[in-house]
Amino acid sequence: MRGRWTKKQRRELREIQGLTWERELEDALHELRSDFEAWAEKKEISAVELSDRIHKFHNGRSRELYKMYSGSLDSFWIGPVVARGVIDESELSEELRDIASDDIVQCRER
């Protein structure tokens, strides 16, 4: 839904955005954690390589997630994250499920 949101819808959308952002960031950080382990515990990569990977993470996936979930009050992202299982449809209110239902169905069919 583009356009006007009620105060209740804006609040829920922000809550769901925050939850989704945190879950996706956590998954991305687990990947970065393996880089830290490769450096600290396994000695498979150098400190310079680890620093490069941190830099790439910051300018790459972390920034993508920031852009996706900060500031914009839109519902375009709901379908894909439900289809990927980041959030469950049951975590959405009935109202928000109705608003995003077409997007959710389309994303599941892909």
Side-chain angles (χ1 to χ4, degrees):
M1 174 172 135
R2 298 188 190 277
R4 295 236 179 254
W5 294 90
T6 66
K7 190 173 185 177
K8 179 183 171 195
Q9 291 169 331
R10 285 192 309 268
R11 181 175 52 250
E12 180 183 6
L13 194 57
R14 280 191 200 101
E15 288 172 6
I16 294 296
Q17 276 179 323
L19 178 62
T20 305
W21 185 2
E22 185 172 343
R23 287 178 183 174
E24 292 212 68
L25 183 59
E26 187 173 301
D27 286 345
L29 285 169
H30 279 292
E31 294 173 24
L32 191 59
R33 179 182 179 185
S34 66
D35 292 333
F36 273 91
E37 290 170 355
W39 166 71
E41 296 170 14
K42 300 175 186 173
K43 307 294 186 210
E44 294 174 344
I45 64 172
S46 69
V48 172
E49 177 65 22
L50 177 61
S51 178
D52 285 344
R53 292 180 186 189
I54 293 167
H55 181 73
K56 286 177 186 174
F57 172 81
H58 174 72
N59 289 328
R61 187 68 179 139
S62 180
R63 186 163 291 172
E64 289 170 12
L65 291 172
Y66 176 80
K67 288 177 184 177
M68 175 76 78
Y69 298 117
S70 68
S72 173
L73 275 181
D74 205 342
S75 62
F76 70 90
W77 53 271
I78 294 175
V81 298
V82 170
R84 288 193 329 264
V86 177
I87 58 171
D88 190 271
E89 233 178 301
S90 65
E91 294 178 279
L92 305 173
S93 69
E94 186 176 334
E95 188 175 11
L96 200 52
R97 270 195 311 271
D98 289 344
I99 290 168
S101 63
D102 289 342
D103 288 336
I104 292 169
V105 169
Q106 287 176 354
C107 290
R108 283 187 172 151
E109 291 175 351
R110 288 186 205 156

